[in-house]
Amino acid sequence: MLKKIDHVGVVVHSLAEVKAMYKALFDLEPVFEEVVESQKVRVAGFSVGESNIEYLEPTADDSPIAKFLEKRGEGMHHIALSVDDVQGTLNRMKDEGVRLIDESPKIGAEGKKIAFVHPKSMNGILLELSQEA
Ligand code: ZN
């Protein structure tokens, strides 16, 4: 059911600074960069083996990411696990009493179906379920 760690999400003030750092340190360019309107974030993903590190920059003051930055500063935000069926996984977790943030999938970066699970049910980690488009 769980296929791999799809990505680790890190919240930052400036994607431009992250891209410059990766270029200088690792000669690495993002494998994708896009605005995800539903989340009010700009995302750039760097490929590390079979997983990505995704950096998230808010595009609006009322973005959930902007609130995170304000409260906690830059840092790790979530872990995304790749699954075959986000909705099926959500249903199963709900049946087990897990606290969900999203009851059904939304469209995230790279057109993937995504949904978030509350950190209170996941040992303090915000979990994202991700399904290939
Ligand atoms: Zn993510």
Side-chain angles (χ1 to χ4, degrees), residues 7-9 54 56 78-80 114 116 128:
H7 63 271
V8 172
E54 284 187 10
L56 312 157
H78 64 273
I79 293 179
I114 63 163
F116 286 96
E128 177 184 342

Side-chain angles (χ1 to χ4, degrees), residues 18 22 24 30 37 56 60 64 84 89 97 105 107 129:
V18 170
Y22 268 74
E37 297 291 353
L56 312 157
D84 289 320
T89 307
I107 300 302
L129 302 172

